[in-house]
Amino acid sequence: MRRYIKRILFAAIALLLSGSILLNFYLMSRLGSGAQGNTQSDAQSNDLWNIHFPDANSRDTYASIHNLKEAHKTATGSGIKVGILDWGFGFADHEGFYAGGKDFMKFSFHEENFNHASEHGFWMAQTLKEIAPDAEIYALGTYSPDDEEEWVDAMIEAIDWSMDNDIDILTLSHQAISSKNRERFDQAVNDAIASGIVTTFIHYDNPDNILPWGIWNSEGEGYYQRAADINIFQYDYNTLFTENYARISENADFASNYRQELFLSVSSMSVVTGGFVALLKEADNTLTPQQCKEILISTSHPAAYEGEYAEHVVDMGAAIDYLRKD
């Protein structure tokens, strides 16, 4: 009997090892022959050993482009409440990460999405945490992928909740709202701004919203009805999308195009701007939404990047210094 059991165990182990080897061969075939993926030279191991990015230690980031280290010497967003209007927060799976939140979504799998899907909302929250590490982050489940009216309904509820719960800043990182729902959404946002909440929404050209755009020549013109207020670095290295990586890793030009394919992000501009405002609000929480916008613009500077030029690249070191001296 024991001999029979041992044979079964040995067979099961052999099957598992075979599966592991096949999986690793599959992963390596997806990585291609470039320098970005390597295995250990040890012949006894077929495990994926690394994913290499050519300029990981020298590339520009939010910290270098926006002078964040200088700002962080005296401001980290402490005591400032930032609400993120989004979905996929993994709210129940990241204990202690969020200061609070609420699910306003209505679609069929919304509870699972809000609590256990660490996707777009969690990505935005992680990026915000890097910009304003001590800010209090509130997950506001609002997005509805196939129903704009339902999405706007949820956001209006969340905005009302934010006013009742003393949220300081709201961010939004999704597509533009159509004219069908724009007027009622504007009213809710205008009420929030009048109550002192700063909004940093992408794709939203309400004149009282702080509108971010990348370090690009266009200034958002042609995309928005007005020029953007400030320019934010357009690459967010916080999250790697594995499907995109598997697709482009086979390209011979991986080293020259991986950032545009993997890390180009308009979504992050909202939470990065929200994080910047959190630093300002920690330094002076009496600042109005308009004053926050004016400070970010007045302390910004022109800059060129990758052949593009922008007038108002945020300098958070200068912005915080302006408040400390004022």
Side-chain angles (χ1 to χ4, degrees), residues 94-171:
H94 302 288
E95 185 177 353
F97 184 76
Y98 299 106
K102 186 174 180 180
D103 182 8
F104 299 90
M105 300 180 290
K106 301 292 191 300
F107 56 87
S108 59
F109 57 96
H110 71 92
E111 291 181 355
E112 176 70 18
N113 174 273
F114 182 75
N115 285 306
H116 301 298
S118 298
E119 297 176 353
H120 197 270
F122 184 57
W123 168 27
M124 294 297 99
Q126 287 179 307
T127 297
L128 173 60
K129 201 71 171 175
E130 286 194 80
I131 305 300
D134 293 324
E136 300 174 18
I137 300 176
Y138 288 78
L140 304 177
T142 51
Y143 189 59
S144 181
D146 301 312
D147 189 330
E148 186 184 79
E149 287 199 18
E150 186 175 277
W151 173 37
V152 172
D153 286 344
M155 286 196 292
I156 290 172
E157 285 185 57
I159 290 169
D160 289 341
W161 182 92
S162 297
M163 288 189 285
D164 291 339
N165 287 272
D166 300 318
I167 298 298
D168 297 295
I169 302 158
L170 284 172
T171 76

Side-chain angles (χ1 to χ4, degrees), residues 153-220:
D153 286 344
M155 286 196 292
I156 290 172
E157 285 185 57
I159 290 169
D160 289 341
W161 182 92
S162 297
M163 288 189 285
D164 291 339
N165 287 272
D166 300 318
I167 298 298
D168 297 295
I169 302 158
L170 284 172
T171 76
L172 173 61
S173 303
H174 285 285
Q175 70 268 25
I177 297 163
S178 72
S179 58
K180 180 180 179 181
N181 289 292
R182 179 63 187 263
E183 184 176 351
R184 67 193 186 99
F185 184 68
D186 279 347
Q187 185 58 59
V189 172
N190 290 339
D191 289 344
I193 293 172
S195 75
I197 294 177
V198 183
T199 64
T200 64
F201 300 171
I202 63 168
H203 306 328
Y204 182 61
D205 52 18
N206 182 320
D208 295 319
N209 175 56
I210 300 179
L211 179 60
W213 191 235
I215 303 176
W216 294 313
N217 295 333
S218 67
E219 296 184 342

